[in-house]
Amino acid sequence: MAAACTALLRAESGQSPFKATLATRDIRIELSGGQGAPQLDSLSRSNGAAWRNDRSEALPESVEVNGERVPVGWQLKPELGSADGRRVVFVYECEHPHLRLLWQWERRAAFGPVEHKITIENLGDHEAWLPMTDSLRLGLDVHAKADLRNLYVEKGADKPSAVGTHMDAITEGYRWTGRSSTYSHPVDGEAREIIPAAIVFSAAGPQEGWYAGIEFSGRTRVELDRSGAELSTVLGLDPDPGPFRTRVEPGGSFETPTVLLGAFAGGPDGAGNQLRPWERAVLGNPETWSDPKYPLLVNNSWGNGMKVDEALATRMIHDSKELGLEMFHMDAGWFRGVGDWYPNPQKFPHGLAPIADEAHRLGLRFGLWVDWTQAALDTEPGALNVHDPKVRDWLVADVGPDWKPEEFKGQTADVGVPAARDYFAKEVNRIVTSYHLDMLEHDGYLVAQGCARGDHPHAPPDASMKITHEWGSDFVRSSNETDVSYHAVRAYYSIYAETRREHPGLLFEICNDGGRMVDFGSAAHGDYFSITDTYDPLSNRRAFFDTSYLLPAAMLESYVEKWPTPRPENFLYMLRSGMMGWETIMQDTNAWTPEQHEAARQAFALYKQKLRPLIRDAELFHISERPDGAHWDGIEYWNRGSGVVFAFRGTVPDEADHRFVLAGLDQHKRYRLHFQDGSSPDSIADGAELMGSGLQVHLQNPLSSELVFLEDAGSSRNER
Ligand SMILES: [Zn+2]
């Protein structure tokens, strides 16, 4: 049996620890490497008050080797560490068992947040099992921080809830855990899943604070816990259900999900206006953002459900061209069967490539829906069959003899199994290449929720575990769920990174059953998100309101479904409710009246000319309460001299007027206002007025909208 590392005992007390500083334009952190554990000493805005931290990082205290629990003593190895202006790495080692731990902080842009992760390498000859190792643990001194708040947002999974954006007061005894996975199935009595991040700030004065988020799509959580003057803060994998353990092979390593940490002023929109450009610059795909047509305007076939065929696709492509839409997106229904991702010969006798080519001929792009980790019963060559012995070993559980797939869902293969990963990497590449794709949408659940296999790389299931049908009523939870997600997510990321390298310019839509995989890890591996699975105007605006606190507007896709539009203004209200980010039309545009056709054509032209540049580049401000459908709501974009206000009027009959208090303008300047639909005459207003009493908008009818464009018109008359 291995003995405890003795290095710790030799650590000299009183020795001055290693110190380092890392800073961007927006945040400065002080770091120290104590003998037994490292610590972030403080974080601050470059010119703001510091948040001091009294707690060192919690490194694993023991590992399991050959079935025995072995204590681990970590010793700082100053000679192995490094610190320059971009990256700080403190290295700790234990000789027996032989482990090395890298505590790393990095800045990847001159502005915005810094990133942090912990890597543990197994340098020994035996497999080691690590316990839960959090990404980041802090105990912040908040005694001088007045009126502390925590802003966090739910995923729009299924349907956005009535709350969506939460603003909690962090008072004595405050305890909060926000969870994220790729499932987001609401469990009775549990809170809805969040985009894994918290924005913590003092609501007094300049509204200064910090934000932290997790760049990982597996099972993660963020915890805040206030006791007296200390705010305990933990980010990392979700330890529940536990106990978590993960295998590290000799020569292998475990890496905590990367955490981003930023400091800001100006309240939650101040945080968002710093974070979104950073995500674009650091997490985003340069190939995607350098395309001036991003975010695209899309026509999707799901308005006709599974009834898609060559004739419909051709008709939709031609109408898309007429309307000025830029991509035809074929949704589910095109394939032979689940796990059999070849065109259905009855529906597509000439295959998919000619459809893609026709779109290309007309200057459109071609996108395709796939749920590529699923296996089912088809037996044709190329199909992933659950009874194939090779495939059976990859499945999260055996299926019964009478098992049948659903219309577009089968049994999930665990992509975290290396052989499965390699198969899916080839299969994704084949789909992209042979169907001439410009965009691949993945739907369903790529990452297994749980896995009953004991011979996969992840931890084995509990004896009590039972999966006959994933996340069905008979799903029994198991302590290996988080580790299953850890391996599967890393495999999924590696497949998409490879596919991107092979197909520059290819777009990835992260759908994952509609808004369930919305996090900073998938933001780094995909190009845009389906943000909710409910597509009416109110749900679209709610999901956008919530998600846009944390992610670039260009990445936020709203599907716009058929909705009652008896009057022309209702039609524009429907279109514009999905037009604040990436818009995908999901209805039969051939059924639109000639007037609606023309209105849509003009709306799409305006999007390309004036809205899209703002959606890509502008600061975004939440200038109303969260949409409730009854009252007014709005979003403001502002970018160096020009901007737009999206104004929506709800159902309340006697609310024809509303004032939006704008943000981001100059008090001493004047602004030219242009009301796109002519609901008010164009005029000039003072910045002080627009940011004081507000921008007045008048709309005669409920369920209508207006776009108010703003232009800088020089210094105000009041300024002499
Ligand atoms: Zn598995």
Side-chain angles (χ1 to χ4, degrees), residues 173-188:
Y174 177 68
R175 280 195 89 142
W176 169 77
T177 302
R179 294 196 150 83
S180 175
S181 75
T182 50
Y183 277 77
S184 288
H185 292 301
V187 177
D188 284 348

PDB file of all heavy atoms in Angstrom, residues 173-188:
ATOM      1  N   GLY A 173     -26.854  34.530   5.268  1.00  0.00           N
ATOM      2  CA  GLY A 173     -27.500  33.228   5.156  1.00  0.00           C
ATOM      3  C   GLY A 173     -27.905  32.839   3.740  1.00  0.00           C
ATOM      4  O   GLY A 173     -28.464  31.769   3.533  1.00  0.00           O
ATOM      5  N   TYR A 174     -27.617  33.700   2.762  1.00  0.00           N
ATOM      6  CA  TYR A 174     -27.991  33.389   1.368  1.00  0.00           C
ATOM      7  C   TYR A 174     -27.253  32.145   0.903  1.00  0.00           C
ATOM      8  O   TYR A 174     -26.035  32.047   1.042  1.00  0.00           O
ATOM      9  CB  TYR A 174     -27.632  34.576   0.466  1.00  0.00           C
ATOM     10  CG  TYR A 174     -27.909  34.365  -1.014  1.00  0.00           C
ATOM     11  CD1 TYR A 174     -29.203  34.264  -1.499  1.00  0.00           C
ATOM     12  CD2 TYR A 174     -26.860  34.276  -1.936  1.00  0.00           C
ATOM     13  CE1 TYR A 174     -29.459  34.076  -2.858  1.00  0.00           C
ATOM     14  CE2 TYR A 174     -27.102  34.095  -3.290  1.00  0.00           C
ATOM     15  CZ  TYR A 174     -28.399  33.994  -3.748  1.00  0.00           C
ATOM     16  OH  TYR A 174     -28.638  33.817  -5.092  1.00  0.00           O
ATOM     17  N   ARG A 175     -28.000  31.186   0.379  1.00  0.00           N
ATOM     18  CA  ARG A 175     -27.401  29.946  -0.142  1.00  0.00           C
ATOM     19  C   ARG A 175     -28.021  29.661  -1.484  1.00  0.00           C
ATOM     20  O   ARG A 175     -29.239  29.531  -1.609  1.00  0.00           O
ATOM     21  CB  ARG A 175     -27.715  28.766   0.783  1.00  0.00           C
ATOM     22  CG  ARG A 175     -26.860  28.684   1.987  1.00  0.00           C
ATOM     23  CD  ARG A 175     -27.007  27.313   2.596  1.00  0.00           C
ATOM     24  NE  ARG A 175     -26.021  26.436   2.001  1.00  0.00           N
ATOM     25  CZ  ARG A 175     -25.373  25.497   2.681  1.00  0.00           C
ATOM     26  NH1 ARG A 175     -25.642  25.299   3.948  1.00  0.00           N
ATOM     27  NH2 ARG A 175     -24.483  24.740   2.096  1.00  0.00           N
ATOM     28  N   TRP A 176     -27.184  29.522  -2.502  1.00  0.00           N
ATOM     29  CA  TRP A 176     -27.709  29.340  -3.847  1.00  0.00           C
ATOM     30  C   TRP A 176     -26.828  28.377  -4.626  1.00  0.00           C
ATOM     31  O   TRP A 176     -25.598  28.442  -4.542  1.00  0.00           O
ATOM     32  CB  TRP A 176     -27.767  30.681  -4.574  1.00  0.00           C
ATOM     33  CG  TRP A 176     -28.046  30.580  -6.050  1.00  0.00           C
ATOM     34  CD1 TRP A 176     -29.247  30.340  -6.639  1.00  0.00           C
ATOM     35  CD2 TRP A 176     -27.107  30.729  -7.125  1.00  0.00           C
ATOM     36  NE1 TRP A 176     -29.112  30.328  -8.019  1.00  0.00           N
ATOM     37  CE2 TRP A 176     -27.807  30.570  -8.336  1.00  0.00           C
ATOM     38  CE3 TRP A 176     -25.729  30.983  -7.178  1.00  0.00           C
ATOM     39  CZ2 TRP A 176     -27.187  30.644  -9.588  1.00  0.00           C
ATOM     40  CZ3 TRP A 176     -25.113  31.066  -8.419  1.00  0.00           C
ATOM     41  CH2 TRP A 176     -25.839  30.899  -9.606  1.00  0.00           C
ATOM     42  N   THR A 177     -27.465  27.458  -5.341  1.00  0.00           N
ATOM     43  CA  THR A 177     -26.752  26.593  -6.277  1.00  0.00           C
ATOM     44  C   THR A 177     -27.458  26.669  -7.621  1.00  0.00           C
ATOM     45  O   THR A 177     -28.662  26.423  -7.707  1.00  0.00           O
ATOM     46  CB  THR A 177     -26.735  25.126  -5.794  1.00  0.00           C
ATOM     47  OG1 THR A 177     -26.130  25.073  -4.504  1.00  0.00           O
ATOM     48  CG2 THR A 177     -25.946  24.248  -6.747  1.00  0.00           C
ATOM     49  N   GLY A 178     -26.726  27.038  -8.650  1.00  0.00           N
ATOM     50  CA  GLY A 178     -27.252  27.018 -10.020  1.00  0.00           C
ATOM     51  C   GLY A 178     -26.618  25.867 -10.764  1.00  0.00           C
ATOM     52  O   GLY A 178     -25.405  25.694 -10.734  1.00  0.00           O
ATOM     53  N   ARG A 179     -27.471  25.037 -11.390  1.00  0.00           N
ATOM     54  CA  ARG A 179     -26.961  23.826 -12.044  1.00  0.00           C
ATOM     55  C   ARG A 179     -27.115  23.886 -13.555  1.00  0.00           C
ATOM     56  O   ARG A 179     -28.040  24.530 -14.071  1.00  0.00           O
ATOM     57  CB  ARG A 179     -27.720  22.604 -11.526  1.00  0.00           C
ATOM     58  CG  ARG A 179     -27.474  22.309 -10.082  1.00  0.00           C
ATOM     59  CD  ARG A 179     -27.924  20.889  -9.721  1.00  0.00           C
ATOM     60  NE  ARG A 179     -27.088  20.386  -8.648  1.00  0.00           N
ATOM     61  CZ  ARG A 179     -27.302  20.672  -7.364  1.00  0.00           C
ATOM     62  NH1 ARG A 179     -28.321  21.420  -7.005  1.00  0.00           N
ATOM     63  NH2 ARG A 179     -26.492  20.204  -6.442  1.00  0.00           N
ATOM     64  N   SER A 180     -26.230  23.167 -14.249  1.00  0.00           N
ATOM     65  CA  SER A 180     -26.324  23.073 -15.704  1.00  0.00           C
ATOM     66  C   SER A 180     -25.934  21.673 -16.147  1.00  0.00           C
ATOM     67  O   SER A 180     -25.021  21.061 -15.591  1.00  0.00           O
ATOM     68  CB  SER A 180     -25.380  24.094 -16.354  1.00  0.00           C
ATOM     69  OG  SER A 180     -25.362  23.942 -17.754  1.00  0.00           O
ATOM     70  N   SER A 181     -26.662  21.156 -17.132  1.00  0.00           N
ATOM     71  CA  SER A 181     -26.276  19.913 -17.797  1.00  0.00           C
ATOM     72  C   SER A 181     -26.779  20.064 -19.221  1.00  0.00           C
ATOM     73  O   SER A 181     -27.233  21.139 -19.602  1.00  0.00           O
ATOM     74  CB  SER A 181     -26.915  18.695 -17.116  1.00  0.00           C
ATOM     75  OG  SER A 181     -28.294  18.615 -17.446  1.00  0.00           O
ATOM     76  N   THR A 182     -26.741  19.005 -19.998  1.00  0.00           N
ATOM     77  CA  THR A 182     -27.293  19.122 -21.353  1.00  0.00           C
ATOM     78  C   THR A 182     -28.737  18.638 -21.390  1.00  0.00           C
ATOM     79  O   THR A 182     -29.318  18.511 -22.454  1.00  0.00           O
ATOM     80  CB  THR A 182     -26.462  18.301 -22.339  1.00  0.00           C
ATOM     81  OG1 THR A 182     -26.308  16.983 -21.803  1.00  0.00           O
ATOM     82  CG2 THR A 182     -25.098  18.920 -22.540  1.00  0.00           C
ATOM     83  N   TYR A 183     -29.316  18.376 -20.210  1.00  0.00           N
ATOM     84  CA  TYR A 183     -30.670  17.816 -20.177  1.00  0.00           C
ATOM     85  C   TYR A 183     -31.745  18.830 -19.790  1.00  0.00           C
ATOM     86  O   TYR A 183     -32.766  18.947 -20.440  1.00  0.00           O
ATOM     87  CB  TYR A 183     -30.707  16.572 -19.280  1.00  0.00           C
ATOM     88  CG  TYR A 183     -30.251  15.399 -20.091  1.00  0.00           C
ATOM     89  CD1 TYR A 183     -28.908  15.199 -20.358  1.00  0.00           C
ATOM     90  CD2 TYR A 183     -31.173  14.549 -20.679  1.00  0.00           C
ATOM     91  CE1 TYR A 183     -28.486  14.159 -21.169  1.00  0.00           C
ATOM     92  CE2 TYR A 183     -30.765  13.502 -21.479  1.00  0.00           C
ATOM     93  CZ  TYR A 183     -29.414  13.308 -21.723  1.00  0.00           C
ATOM     94  OH  TYR A 183     -29.012  12.300 -22.533  1.00  0.00           O
ATOM     95  N   SER A 184     -31.487  19.550 -18.722  1.00  0.00           N
ATOM     96  CA  SER A 184     -32.450  20.577 -18.299  1.00  0.00           C
ATOM     97  C   SER A 184     -33.853  20.051 -18.107  1.00  0.00           C
ATOM     98  O   SER A 184     -34.816  20.759 -18.342  1.00  0.00           O
ATOM     99  CB  SER A 184     -32.517  21.729 -19.318  1.00  0.00           C
ATOM    100  OG  SER A 184     -31.377  22.499 -19.277  1.00  0.00           O
ATOM    101  N   HIS A 185     -33.982  18.784 -17.730  1.00  0.00           N
ATOM    102  CA  HIS A 185     -35.332  18.316 -17.424  1.00  0.00           C
ATOM    103  C   HIS A 185     -35.701  18.822 -16.051  1.00  0.00           C
ATOM    104  O   HIS A 185     -35.031  18.501 -15.080  1.00  0.00           O
ATOM    105  CB  HIS A 185     -35.408  16.789 -17.440  1.00  0.00           C
ATOM    106  CG  HIS A 185     -35.224  16.228 -18.795  1.00  0.00           C
ATOM    107  ND1 HIS A 185     -36.055  16.553 -19.837  1.00  0.00           N
ATOM    108  CD2 HIS A 185     -34.311  15.387 -19.299  1.00  0.00           C
ATOM    109  CE1 HIS A 185     -35.660  15.922 -20.921  1.00  0.00           C
ATOM    110  NE2 HIS A 185     -34.596  15.218 -20.628  1.00  0.00           N
ATOM    111  N   PRO A 186     -36.747  19.625 -15.945  1.00  0.00           N
ATOM    112  CA  PRO A 186     -37.100  20.115 -14.617  1.00  0.00           C
ATOM    113  C   PRO A 186     -37.490  18.935 -13.718  1.00  0.00           C
ATOM    114  O   PRO A 186     -38.299  18.101 -14.102  1.00  0.00           O
ATOM    115  CB  PRO A 186     -38.314  21.020 -14.880  1.00  0.00           C
ATOM    116  CG  PRO A 186     -38.409  21.168 -16.362  1.00  0.00           C
ATOM    117  CD  PRO A 186     -37.695  20.004 -16.965  1.00  0.00           C
ATOM    118  N   VAL A 187     -36.845  18.860 -12.579  1.00  0.00           N
ATOM    119  CA  VAL A 187     -37.176  17.826 -11.610  1.00  0.00           C
ATOM    120  C   VAL A 187     -38.063  18.490 -10.568  1.00  0.00           C
ATOM    121  O   VAL A 187     -37.814  19.627 -10.181  1.00  0.00           O
ATOM    122  CB  VAL A 187     -35.892  17.276 -10.956  1.00  0.00           C
ATOM    123  CG1 VAL A 187     -36.213  16.252  -9.884  1.00  0.00           C
ATOM    124  CG2 VAL A 187     -34.975  16.695 -12.014  1.00  0.00           C
ATOM    125  N   ASP A 188     -39.094  17.801 -10.130  1.00  0.00           N
ATOM    126  CA  ASP A 188     -40.015  18.379  -9.146  1.00  0.00           C
ATOM    127  C   ASP A 188     -39.246  18.955  -7.963  1.00  0.00           C
ATOM    128  O   ASP A 188     -38.397  18.297  -7.385  1.00  0.00           O
ATOM    129  CB  ASP A 188     -41.001  17.305  -8.647  1.00  0.00           C
ATOM    130  CG  ASP A 188     -42.070  17.040  -9.695  1.00  0.00           C
ATOM    131  OD1 ASP A 188     -42.157  17.842 -10.651  1.00  0.00           O
ATOM    132  OD2 ASP A 188     -42.782  16.032  -9.570  1.00  0.00           O
TER     133      ASP A 188
END
